[in-house]
Amino acid sequence: MSRKFALVPAAGSGSRMGGECPKQYLPLAGRPLIFHTLDALCRCAEIEAVFVVLAPDDRHWGSYDWSPFGSRLKPLWCGGASRAESVSNGLAAMAGTAGDDDWVLVHDAARPCLSQAQLARLIREVGEDAVGGILAVPVADTLKRDGGDGRIGATVERSGLWQAQTPQMFRYRLLRRALEATRAVTDEAGAIEAQGHRPRLVAADITNLKVTYPQDLQLAAWILANRGET
Ligand code: C5P
C-alpha cells in the first residue's frame, strides 16, 4: 500500500503582495497564512508527514509556534530560485523517507483555504490512477489576450480550459524524475505532461484560492470563517 506525504513549497517572496513580509507569513485569522495551509494537510489522517520547503535565509519561521502539528510537520531549509526548484530540492531531501511509489501531494503555501472535502476528493479520485492528478476548476470568465497596447488583442476560446490549483498528487519517483528533466514549468503537472503523461483533472472550487494580491487575504479570512469546518 502506497503511503502519502505532503510537500509545501514556501520559499517564495510573494512580490505581487507588496511589502516586506513574505506572503506566507502575513496575518490571517490570528495566525500566519501558512499555518492554515499546514493545518489543512496535517488534519488529513491519510497524510503521514507534511514537509515544508523554506528559503535557506528564512527569518520568520522561527518566530512562530508550530508545536500544534507535532512531529508530522518537517521543515526543510532547501528552497530554490523558483517554485519548481524548491519542489525538486524538497523531493531530494525526502529521499530517505518516501518510497518510489509513495504519493506526494504538492500544495502551495499560499492556498490556506483547502477544505477537507476537496482534499479527500483528490485522494479518492487519484489514489488508484496510474499517473496522478490535480485539483482544478473550469474557467468561468471569458478570456482576453492583451494586445500589448492596453487593448484587447484577441479573445481566447475558454471551452475546455481549466485553472490548475493544488494539491497536485503524483508518485514520488515519477515526479522527481519529471522535475529533474524540466524546471521550466509553473506547476508539477506541467513537468509530468512534458514526460508525455496526462494527469487527471479533479473538479474543485474557487474557495481553494491562491493568495496573490492584498485583497485576497480578506476573501481567505471570510472563507475560513464561514465554511463550517471546525
Ligand atoms: O509566487 P507563487 O504564488 O506562484 O508561488 C506559489 C508557491 O510556490 C508559494 O507557496 C511560494 O512560497 C512557493 N515558491 C517557492 N520557491 C520559490 C518561489 C515560490 O517555494 N522560489
Side-chain angles (χ1 to χ4, degrees):
M1 174 102 177
S2 301
R3 298 183 299 163
K4 295 177 191 70
F5 299 98
L7 178 63
V8 178
S13 60
S15 53
R16 284 171 289 185
M17 289 296 281
E20 282 293 295
C21 184
K23 70 177 168 185
Q24 57 271 32
Y25 295 111
L26 289 172
L28 171 63
R31 302 276 196 180
L33 187 156
I34 190 177
F35 185 96
H36 302 281
T37 310
L38 299 173
D39 186 46
L41 295 165
C42 286
R43 275 199 284 149
C44 176
E46 288 184 73
I47 296 176
E48 239 180 83
V50 176
F51 293 86
V52 54
V53 178
L54 304 167
D57 61 351
D58 185 310
R59 290 177 292 107
H60 299 268
W61 179 261
S63 328
Y64 300 100
D65 176 19
W66 305 105
S67 61
F69 301 126
S71 59
R72 288 177 73 213
L73 179 64
K74 303 192 185 300
L76 302 169
W77 302 82
C78 59
S82 65
R83 182 185 186 286
E85 201 177 312
S86 294
V87 173
S88 191
N89 293 352
L91 291 170
M94 288 166 66
T97 309
D100 283 352
D101 291 330
D102 287 341
W103 289 106
V104 183
L105 288 84
V106 181
H107 185 51
D108 291 331
R111 290 187 192 272
C113 301
L114 174 67
S115 70
Q116 294 302 300
Q118 290 168 331
L119 188 50
R121 185 168 188 188
L122 177 73
I123 291 173
R124 190 172 63 243
E125 293 198 17
V126 173
E128 301 299 322
D129 199 274
V131 175
I134 71 169
L135 288 184
V137 255
V139 168
D141 296 321
T142 298
L143 297 175
K144 304 294 183 189
R145 192 179 303 285
D146 184 342
D149 56 356
R151 292 179 175 277
I152 294 169
T155 297
V156 179
E157 174 60 44
R158 76 170 175 214
S159 68
L161 288 185
W162 292 61
Q163 276 179 271
Q165 297 183 342
T166 69
Q168 303 204 348
M169 178 169 162
F170 296 103
R171 295 203 190 260
Y172 177 78
R173 181 178 52 183
L174 178 67
L175 181 57
R176 195 168 166 196
R177 289 201 173 155
L179 282 168
E180 276 164 8
T182 176
R183 294 278 170 80
V185 288
T186 50
D187 71 351
E188 290 62 54
I192 301 286
E193 291 159 52
Q195 297 295 300
H197 300 294
R198 298 181 53 219
R200 197 175 176 123
L201 288 166
V202 177
D205 63 70
I206 56 166
T207 60
N208 183 25
L209 82 166
K210 183 166 76 168
V211 173
T212 307
Y213 303 107
Q215 62 271 27
D216 296 338
L217 272 176
Q218 281 165 282
L219 198 50
W222 190 91
I223 292 166
L224 289 174
N226 289 280
R227 74 173 172 209
E229 274 183 7
T230 50

